Structures are given as C-alpha cells and as structure tokens.
C-alpha cells in the first residue's frame, strides 16, 4: 500500500514567518501534486511537479520534488492570513491519486 | 478546463435510506472514475476505482455491497450509499480521468449527512 506521510499535521504561526510542509513516501510517484482546501469545498490544485529535483514557484509558495520522486516540500515565505487552510499533497502513480493526511495551517494576524 | 459536476451537492437523509450520487464529466470522456470520501478534518481517502463498462475495484476496508458504483458511460458514474448510517456521513468527491489528460479535475463534492 502506498502511503504519503505529511508533516506537520498542524501548524499555527504568526503572519510574516516562513514555513515548510513536508510530504514523504517510500514509493516512487510519476508526479506529485499539492492542493489547498477551504472548509466545505473541494481541493484546489496548486501545482504539479513531475521531474525529480523540480522546483516550481507560485508567488510566495515554492514547491520541490525530491530527486528520487518520493518526497516533496512546500515552502511558504512571509505567510499571510490568507494562506490559512488545509494543504494536501497527493502522489500520482498508475493513474491513482494517493493523498497525504494534510497539513492544517493557521496564520495568525 | 474540464468541467465535472456532482449531484446532489448536499443531502440529508434518515438512517437506513439509500443515497445516489452522480458524477458527470461534461467535456471529456472519463474512462476511469475515482471516488473519494473525506471525513471532517481528515484527508481524502480513495474508496474505489471504476473503469467504464467494468466492475469497480474497491480499496481495502470499503464494502463493495454498501457502496455501489456504476460507470455505465464515459460521462457518468454513480455512487450509491445503500442503507446509509450516521458513520457514512462524509464529503464524497469524484475524480474522472481519461482522454489523455494529465491534470485531474475534481467534482465539487457531495456532502452527505445521515441522521
């Protein structure tokens, strides 16, 4: 069974601080995705990383895919209250999407 | 981008009743349909994978006789929660896949509350 371990599970930090969320697995994925989900809504795709070692930036968010395509990280610079939400990583393998348990992020103003 | 619809978006029912959830891919042919559920404050868990015209493959711990999946066409899949109980209350999301698309498009979800 493929598993994605996501950490931390919860994170509450002050506005302006930086943070990193990690997603790790013993399995290799063809791609890895990061989603953000607001309460009562479905997940919204932020980014897809495909190549080992790939780095993608989305404004203050930096996503990295591990060289071996087993892990990924999401780094947020100068967090803002609007970044509050549930962040999910998801590994894609054989067309199946496996989700991590999520990181609930709360940015304090 | 692709459009995926789910119906109903909300359903409240009494314990013991059956609920059918429809998932439609409106602008591409979904050869595969993934059904997920999400309990409050938890992540999405894959329930089953279905390919058009064949039986669904269920994940471990998901009762196939309780969660009936029909994927009779390339644009429609249904999930029926039979004899629903309060513990089935959850957010159900479909993800159709196919047409060579690399991006997955989520259905908007169906929130089920069983009283």
């Amino acid at each position: 069974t493929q598993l994605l371990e996501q950490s931390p599970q919860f994170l509450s930090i002050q506005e302006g601080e930086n943070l990193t969320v990690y997603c790790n697995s013993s399995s290799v994925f063809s791609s890895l995705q990061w989603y953000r989900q607001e309460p009562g809504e479905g997940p919204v795709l932020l980014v897809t990383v495909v190549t080992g070692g790939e780095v993608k930036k989305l404004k203050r968010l930096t996503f990295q895919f591990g060289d071996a395509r087993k892990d990924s990280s999401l780094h947020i610079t100068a967090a803002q209250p609007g970044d509050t939400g549930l962040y999910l990583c998801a590994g894609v393998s054989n067309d199946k999407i496996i989700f991590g348990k999520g990181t609930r992020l709360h940015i304090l103003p | 981008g692709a459009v995926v619809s789910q119906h109903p978006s909300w359903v409240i029912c009494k314990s013991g009743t059956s609920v059918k959830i429809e998932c439609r891919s409106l602008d591409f042919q979904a050869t595969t349909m993934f059904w997920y559920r999400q309990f409050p404050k938890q992540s999405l868990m894959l329930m089953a994978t279905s390919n058009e015209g064949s039986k669904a493959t269920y994940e471990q711990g998901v009762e196939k006789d309780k969660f009936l999946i029909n994927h009779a066409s390339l644009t429609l899949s249904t999930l029926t929660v039979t004899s629903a109980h309060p513990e089935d209350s959850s957010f159900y999301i479909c993800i159709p896949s196919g047409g060579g698309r690399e991006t997955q498009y989520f259905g908007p979800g169906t929130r089920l509350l069983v009283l």
Side-chain angles (χ1 to χ4, degrees):
Chain A
T1 303
Q2 293 175 307
L3 290 173
L4 269 176
E5 298 292 334
Q6 202 172 328
S7 63
Q9 222 174 328
F10 299 97
L11 186 59
S12 181
I13 62 172
Q14 290 293 137
E15 179 178 2
E17 294 184 4
N18 302 330
L19 66 106
T20 302
V21 178
Y22 300 93
C23 187
N24 297 293
S25 176
S26 58
S27 303
V28 176
F29 294 100
S30 57
S31 65
L32 199 137
Q33 301 173 332
W34 284 92
Y35 293 84
R36 179 179 158 186
Q37 186 177 20
E38 301 288 346
E41 298 181 11
V44 174
L45 179 66
L46 296 174
V47 77
T48 300
V49 285
V50 180
T51 308
E54 183 177 2
V55 176
K56 281 191 175 179
K57 291 193 175 183
L58 187 66
K59 297 183 181 178
R60 294 177 292 101
L61 277 60
T62 302
F63 305 86
Q64 186 163 5
F65 201 12
D67 291 339
R69 291 187 290 136
K70 293 182 179 181
D71 54 85
S72 180
S73 64
L74 157 61
H75 184 78
I76 300 179
T77 304
Q80 298 177 3
D83 296 328
T84 293
L86 177 66
Y87 290 81
L88 299 162
C89 66
V92 181
S93 178
N94 298 322
D95 290 331
K96 186 180 289 189
I97 308 173
I98 306 298
F99 284 86
K101 290 190 175 182
T103 295
R104 195 162 294 279
L105 178 63
H106 185 55
I107 309 301
L108 304 168
Chain B
V3 178
V4 182
S5 71
Q6 255 183 266
H7 177 80
S9 54
W10 270 96
V11 59
I12 301 174
C13 67
K14 291 184 178 179
S15 185
T17 58
S18 293
V19 176
K20 180 186 281 188
I21 301 170
E22 293 186 349
C23 177
R24 295 180 185 272
S25 60
L26 301 181
D27 65 348
F28 73 100
Q29 294 184 327
T31 52
T32 303
M33 186 70 73
F34 300 99
W35 285 96
Y36 289 80
R37 63 181 168 185
Q38 185 179 30
F39 293 109
K41 298 187 179 181
Q42 295 187 27
S43 187
L44 281 76
M45 298 298 294
L46 179 64
M47 298 176 66
T49 304
S50 70
N51 293 303
E52 185 263 338
S54 59
K55 290 184 179 180
T57 301
Y58 290 81
E59 296 297 305
Q60 193 172 7
V62 179
E63 299 175 55
K64 64 178 182 179
D65 294 330
K66 181 171 180 62
F67 299 98
L68 303 179
I69 292 174
N70 184 289
H71 191 173
S73 80
L74 290 172
T75 58
L76 172 65
S77 177
T78 61
L79 166 66
T80 301
V81 183
T82 61
S83 186
H85 287 93
E87 58 265 30
D88 299 322
S89 299
S90 187
F91 190 48
Y92 292 85
I93 300 177
C94 64
I95 304 179
S97 178
R101 292 171 181 261
E102 294 184 355
T103 300
Q104 286 74 34
Y105 295 93
F106 286 69
T110 296
R111 193 164 296 281
L112 170 65
L113 177 60
V114 184
L115 302 176

